């Protein structure tokens, strides 16, 4: 019997750490990029994954397979090594029938990208405490346009990132959030190496902060802003195709914002979108005629197509590709493409509006008035007494809160949580007065205050005077991310906020 | 014959619905000509009208699935009729895309030919004619590769139902009279016509105005209740059984290797008896052979991979896992065979290949054949998953077997028991020690809380408690080792407290027994079933039969000895489901008992009132407040 004891909750409110072995562990992950004199690139990947638990390899776990996406018409994939090292040291070579080249599901129903392939490698012979070893190279003419997170589902003992470039080519590397890990960097002109050690596994849980805030990560780019503006112009060139024009114009309504939204939603919901890595599609963006004819696009062409349809519908707009700007290096401004940051700007009644091309549920928004998260709520009201009757003599009343209020459900927060919580700062104040019917008596009056400077606080006062109920509740959260060291205090604040939200009455 | 695949045992909750219709089939006509060898030529002619932009998206490409090793498909003609324009546009059928289709888990190289239709507008219609010969598994070279492995025979399963409305559907089969085709229409009526063509005979089956049905939540498979046509030239199941036995024996699927035999000896060194040996081998295969199918080339789909390949690769689909188990059982001296089954769908009497899954059977000392499923029992304390009870299966034996059906598994074999010893003080504070223990499929459902990485176990267990009451404060947590699942049923014990759990006035305590509130409802799928419907039109299914027992003793402060408006004891018994609950007070000791027994996996529509009553009774107790006074 596994036994975990807590003398009492608040005695044991220190970080609970499980010191057990992980289900699997990477002995090594290595990414190597070599930019050749002719501009081509060799990307080499190496991994060694040790399996410690059945969960990491059997049942329907996917760790037993590796999926490699590439374009065999323009790129060459070479498997350098692929085998399994049994615990006794013997080697099981992966057989030929365990390498399957198939259409990736991202390209399903998309004739344009039917040439892209996914190499599936089914790792065979797996046993506990054995090691999956894989090493492959892709020779391509891709741009260097990568954003690597130094994290995986399992801990990584050693992580290597190497970039080598011919002197005729330049690139830029921007590591971030490395301060919390053990690492070394090496390099001179043309070469760069980062070696990191003992990287923890990816966090699991609700309300996780963005990966950029959680994990060490590295941007790699050889695309300058100038190059990018050439590759991804703000306006798509349109051919004047009458059929597309007629098609676009059927969406026109008097309400311009609605027209824009309807065209965006048509593109977003009724085209097949091949969600491929931008480095794979970047040089060959599709024009509007191709997208219209095939009814499919990649994420970048989708935006160009939307801009083209707006243009055909007589609406001027321009694309903000939302590059991730990296630091200026040797007078060059390198960038990374991140489709999720892309927006389309237009003008309605002389005012600037923008639209998210990928999300059909958001409206066209006036710029600079993007819906900010509510930071402060102040409500003073007189409430009717409409409780839920639970027996003939007792009733329960849930104190209302503004739905725009604090967004973290208490159920998912425990004092032992080992992952930070993403939230948003808030200051919620409620003052309610409730006139109780004759004879009704509050059973759980409360006056409580708790908090920590810089983190937040809760203040609650619920009292009955005669048949008047006075409810004052205040929740202040000062941070947008709750760190693990603040978790216990945060839990205590949320616990008070939660249990004082329900009042019981004797009828 | 379909490929023998595995349906993963998930249970999806759906509510009554009719799929939104984005297209309408104007007609769907299939013409099949069977040769003496069993080779069949299939022509399909359809016309589809797209109704909205979603339909336009769905039909912008047209695809044909095939296995290049055993089937041939081609587009004969594809025409596009723009709305309001009589003259069609001919789509260039030479510009096809031919590729290995996207797959996960089963990587056999199943392919597709895709034709780009392109941009469509609502109201456009597509008319196409396709041709297919062969089957969906791999055979030999040349034209003979299209002849089915059960040479000279033909079968088909033709759904006369659809998620899309069909104005007219026709299925026509022409074959030699001597083939003695047998057919039957299930769950509906078709217009049937036969024409004597001398040596040949042609059957035509027609149905008009097929409309999608209104689905009910948790209803059984469409093929079990909607109109379908089964045809087969195989005289009986015994013939099919002998064929299945022969094809794998001929290939040598179950011939052990020295390495494998040595492993079997090592595994069985401490085996206590016959059943223990069977259990050790079944669970070794379940746990150590991954579910990931790679192709053996010729014969893939219906031939079980051999022992050498399975033991070296340690991966395969259901048929390969069954094969390795059979080889190991035989190496241990058992008589064992493969068997085909149909997970979560009924097998009807016409011997058409209604199979999607493969298992093993072992002959026990008394001569009976016991089914074993190494695919469905990783982390399950069973040899045959009871999630497959009331399911047809066909062992492949030298003498030939008739179709078998797995029996109902008693609910008692799948219990989940919640026991709690608690106390509530005058302020209403609850302190409790609560244990959950489970067996069979309920054990597997509880045990899934440990299916994530070990580092997440504690948090997940804690969440189960806090789902019931977020104010619960854990004092101690114990559990059996989930990785040693064969050693004992899972048991998880929480000690916890909840401040102000009960409503406490001067003279009364009001509360819901914590144990009644559905902790570990992840193992009580019935609580998630929609019980709004008073009656059902169709049979329905749960994940498994199940027994829920709840017992809680709560010590109250001295003097709290009077029950106020106590709920009456409930005893409800039916062959499909039963329910009992009682609330009692002995001085200041409060006792709650509840027993819910759901006795089958697949229920008839007539079972619904009893089942619904039992489920709703449990749901009511989850929110039923008890008042105890001084």
């Amino acid at each position: 019997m596994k036994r975990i004891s807590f003398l009492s909750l608040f005695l044991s409110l220190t970080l609970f750490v499980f010191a057990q072995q992980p289900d699997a562990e990477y002995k090594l992950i290595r990414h190597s990029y070599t930019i050749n004199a002719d501009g081509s690139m060799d990307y080499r990947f190496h991994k060694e994954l040790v399996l410690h638990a059945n969960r990491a390899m059997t049942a329907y776990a996917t760790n037993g397979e590796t999926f490699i996406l590439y374009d065999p018409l323009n790129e060459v994939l070479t498997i350098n090594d692929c085998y399994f090292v049994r615990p006794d040291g013997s080697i099981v070579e992966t057989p030929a029938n365990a390498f399957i080249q198939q259409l990736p599901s991202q390209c399903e129903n998309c004739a344009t990208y039917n040439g892209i392939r996914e190499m599936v490698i089914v790792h065979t012979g797996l046993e506990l405490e054995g090691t999956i070893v894989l090493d492959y190279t892709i020779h391509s003419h891709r741009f260097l346009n990568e954003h690597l997170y130094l994290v995986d589902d399992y801990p990584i003992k050693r992580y290597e990132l190497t970039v080598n470039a011919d002197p005729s080519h330049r690139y830029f590397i921007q590591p971030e959030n490395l301060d919390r890990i053990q690492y070394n960097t090496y390099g001179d002109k043309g070469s760069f190496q980062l070696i990191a050690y003992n990287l923890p596994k990816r966090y699991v849980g609700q309300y996780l902060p963005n990966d950029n805030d959680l994990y060490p990560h590295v941007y790699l780019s050889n695309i300058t802003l100038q190059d990018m503006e050439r590759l991804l112009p703000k306006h798509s060139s349109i051919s004047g195709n009458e059929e597309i024009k007629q098609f676009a114009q059927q969406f026109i309504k008097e309400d311009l914002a609605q027209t824009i939204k309807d065209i965006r939603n048509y593109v977003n919901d009724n085209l097949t979108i091949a969600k491929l890595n931008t480095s794979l599609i970047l040089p060959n963006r599709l024009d509007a005629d191709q997208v219209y004819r095939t009814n499919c696009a990649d994420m970048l062409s989708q935006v160009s197509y939307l801009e083209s349809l707006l243009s055909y519908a007589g609406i001027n707009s321009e694309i903000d590709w939302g590059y991730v700007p990296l630091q200026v290096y040797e007078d060059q401004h390198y960038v990374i493409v991140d489709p999720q940051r892309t927006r389309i700007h237009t003008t309605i009644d002389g005012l600037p509006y923008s639209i998210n091309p990928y999300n059909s549920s958001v409206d066209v928004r006036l710029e600079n008035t993007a819906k900010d998260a509510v930071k402060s709520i102040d409500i003073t009201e007189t409430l009717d007494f409409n409780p839920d009757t639970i027996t003939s003599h007792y009733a329960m009343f849930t104190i209302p809160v503004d739905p725009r209020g604090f967004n973290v459900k208490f159920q998912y927060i425990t004092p032992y949580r080992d992952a930070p919580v993403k939230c948003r700062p808030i200051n919620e104040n409620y003052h309610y007065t409730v006139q109780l019917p004759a004879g009704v008596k509050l059973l759980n009056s409360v006056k409580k205050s708790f908090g920590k400077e810089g983190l937040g606080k809760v203040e609650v006062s619920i009292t009955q005077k005669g048949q008047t109920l006075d409810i004052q509740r205040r929740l202040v959260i000062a941070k947008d991310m709750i760190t693990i060291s603040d978790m216990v205090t945060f839990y205590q604040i949320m616990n008070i906020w939660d249990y004082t939200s329900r009042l019981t009455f004797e009828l | 014959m379909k490929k023998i695949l595995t349906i993963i045992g998930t249970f999806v909750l759906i509510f009554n619905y009719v799929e939104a219709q984005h297209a309408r089939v104007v007609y769907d006509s299939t013409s099949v000509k069977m040769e003496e060898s069993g080779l069949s030529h299939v022509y399909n002619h359809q016309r589809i009208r797209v109704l909205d932009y979603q339909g336009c998206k769905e039909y912008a490409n047209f695809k044909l699935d095939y296995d290049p090793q055993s089937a041939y498909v081609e587009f004969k003609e594809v025409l596009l009729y723009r709305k309001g324009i009589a003259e069609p546009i001919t789509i260039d059928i030479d510009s096809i895309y031919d590729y290995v289709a996207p797959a996960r888990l089963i990587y056999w190289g199943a392919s597709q030919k895709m034709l780009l239709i392109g941009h469509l507008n609502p109201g456009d219609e597509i008319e196409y004619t396709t041709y297919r010969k062969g089957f969906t598994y791999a055979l030999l070279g040349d034209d003979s590769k299209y002849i089915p492995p059960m040479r000279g025979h033909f079968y088909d399963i033709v759904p006369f139902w659809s998620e899309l409305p069909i104005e007219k559907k026709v299925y026509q089969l022409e074959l030699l009279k001597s083939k003695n085709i047998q057919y039957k229409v299930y769950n509906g009526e078709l217009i049937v016509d036969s024409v004597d063509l001398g040596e040949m005979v042609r059957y035509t089956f027609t149905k008009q105005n097929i409309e999608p049905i209104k689905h009910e939540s948790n209803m059984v498979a469409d093929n079990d209740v909607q109109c379908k046509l089964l045809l087969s030239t195989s005289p009986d199941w015994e013939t099919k059984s002998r064929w299945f036995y022969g094809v794998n024996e001929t290939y040598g699927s179950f011939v052990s290797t020295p390495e494998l035999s040595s492993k079997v000896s090592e595994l069985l060194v401490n085996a206590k008896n016959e059943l223990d040996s069977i259990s050790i081998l079944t669970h070794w295969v379940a746990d150590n052979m991954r579910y990931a199918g790679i192709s053996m080339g010729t014969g893939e789909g219906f031939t079980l991979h051999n022992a050498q390949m399975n033991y070296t690769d340690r991966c395969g689909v259901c048929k390969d896992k069954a094969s390795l188990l059979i080889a190991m059982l035989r190496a241990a001296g058992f008589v064992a065979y493969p068997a085909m089954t149909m997970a979560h769908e009924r097998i009807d009497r016409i011997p058409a290949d209604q199979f999607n899954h493969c298992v093993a059977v072992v002959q026990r000392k008394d001569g009976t054949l016991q089914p074993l499923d190494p695919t469905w029992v990783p982390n399950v304390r069973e040899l045959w998953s009871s999630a497959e009870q009331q399911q047809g299966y066909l062992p492949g034996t030298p003498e030939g077997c008739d179709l078998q059906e797995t029996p109902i598994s008693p609910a008692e074999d799948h219990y989940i028991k919640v026991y709690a010893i608690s106390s509530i003080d005058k302020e209403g504070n609850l302190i409790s020690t609560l244990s959950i223990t489970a067996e069979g499929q309920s054990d597997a459902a509880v045990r899934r809380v440990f299916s994530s990485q070990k580092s997440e176990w504690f948090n997940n267990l804690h969440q189960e408690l806090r789902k019931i009451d977020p104010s619960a404060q854990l004092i101690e947590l114990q559990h059996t080792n989930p990785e040693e699942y064969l050693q004992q049923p899972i048991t998880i014990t929480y000690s916890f407290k909840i401040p102000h759990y009960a409503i406490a006035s001067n003279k009364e305590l009001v509360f819901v027994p914590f144990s009644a509130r559905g902790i570990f409802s992840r193992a009580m799928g019935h609580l998630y079933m929609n019980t709004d419907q008073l009656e059902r039109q169709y049979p329905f299914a749960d994940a498994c039969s199940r027994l829920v027992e709840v017992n809680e003793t709560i010590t109250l402060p001295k003097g709290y000895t009077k029950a106020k408006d106590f709920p009456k004891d409930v005893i409800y018994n039916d062959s499909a489901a039963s329910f009992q609950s009682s609330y009692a007070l002995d001085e200041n000791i409060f006792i709650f008992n509840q027993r819910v027994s759901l006795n089958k996996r697949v229920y008839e529509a007539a079972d619904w009132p009893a089942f619904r009553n039992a489920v709703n009774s449990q749901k009511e107790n989850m929110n039923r407040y008890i008042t105890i006074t001084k």
Side-chain angles (χ1 to χ4, degrees), chain B residues 43 112 249 363 523 545:
Chain B
Y43 293 87
Q112 283 175 338
E249 296 297 333
Q363 190 169 51
S545 46

Side-chain angles (χ1 to χ4, degrees), chain A residues 173-186:
Chain A
I173 291 179
Q174 185 170 308
E176 293 186 359
N177 274 355
L178 296 191
D179 51 330
R180 62 191 83 163
I181 61 166
Q182 184 192 350
Y183 74 100
N184 294 310
T185 55
Y186 311 89

Side-chain angles (χ1 to χ4, degrees), chain A residues 337-351:
Chain A
V337 188
D338 178 2
Q340 292 302 339
R341 296 162 58 107
T342 300
R343 297 290 179 273
I344 286 186
H345 301 295
T346 188
T347 304
I348 302 175
D349 295 335
L351 295 170

Side-chain angles (χ1 to χ4, degrees), chain A residues 2 4 6 18 54 57-58 65 97 102-103 109 118 125 153 201 204 250 292-293 394 411 413, chain B residues 53 61 63 100 103-104 107 118-119 287 290 295 313 453 455 458 463 466 475 477-479 505 508:
Chain A
K2 301 277 178 192
I4 303 157
F6 308 91
F18 275 83
N54 196 269
M57 65 173 193
T58 60
E65 284 111 81
N97 60 342
Q102 64 181 25
L103 185 77
N109 300 315
E118 177 180 64
D153 292 342
K201 74 177 186 69
V204 176
Q250 69 171 322
Y292 180 81
R293 188 175 58 78
Y394 296 94
Q411 178 192 322
I413 305 304
Chain B
Y53 280 122
N61 300 282
K63 289 183 284 193
V100 175
R104 284 291 180 269
Y107 305 101
H119 181 91
D287 294 343
R290 304 175 51 237
S295 176
D313 290 348
Q453 292 194 45
S455 53
F458 173 74
Q463 290 293 1
R466 301 190 71 237
I475 299 167
L477 173 62
Q478 296 179 52
H479 59 79
S505 68
E508 292 182 334

Side-chain angles (χ1 to χ4, degrees), chain A residues 278-347:
Chain A
T278 48
S279 64
L280 197 59
I281 55 177
L282 201 50
N284 303 309
R285 205 163 36 88
L286 311 174
D287 64 31
D289 288 17
Q290 285 171 290
V291 175
Y292 180 81
R293 188 175 58 78
T294 60
N295 211 61
C296 87
D298 55 74
M299 285 182 79
L300 300 178
S301 306
Q302 171 186 359
V303 180
S304 305
Y305 183 59
L306 170 55
E307 194 266 339
S308 298
L309 288 185
L310 291 172
S311 177
Y312 276 119
I315 300 166
N316 289 321
S317 64
E318 71 173 34
I319 306 167
D320 171 2
W321 290 102
Y323 316 121
V324 179
L326 306 183
Q327 292 158 14
V328 175
Y329 174 65
E330 292 182 350
D331 296 333
Q332 289 288 356
H333 193 170
Y334 290 90
V335 293
I336 291 278
V337 188
D338 178 2
Q340 292 302 339
R341 296 162 58 107
T342 300
R343 297 290 179 273
I344 286 186
H345 301 295
T346 188
T347 304

Side-chain angles (χ1 to χ4, degrees), chain B residues 596-608:
Chain B
V596 187
S597 185
L598 306 171
N599 299 331
K600 294 191 275 188
R601 183 180 73 82
V602 182
Y603 296 85
E604 295 304 317
D607 293 330
W608 178 244

Side-chain angles (χ1 to χ4, degrees), chain B residues 253-272:
Chain B
S253 299
F254 317 123
V255 178
S256 187
T257 64
E259 202 184 0
L260 181 62
S261 297
S262 163
K263 184 70 185 178
V264 170
S265 303
E266 176 198 322
L267 290 170
L268 298 184
V269 70
N270 293 319
K272 298 180 194 80

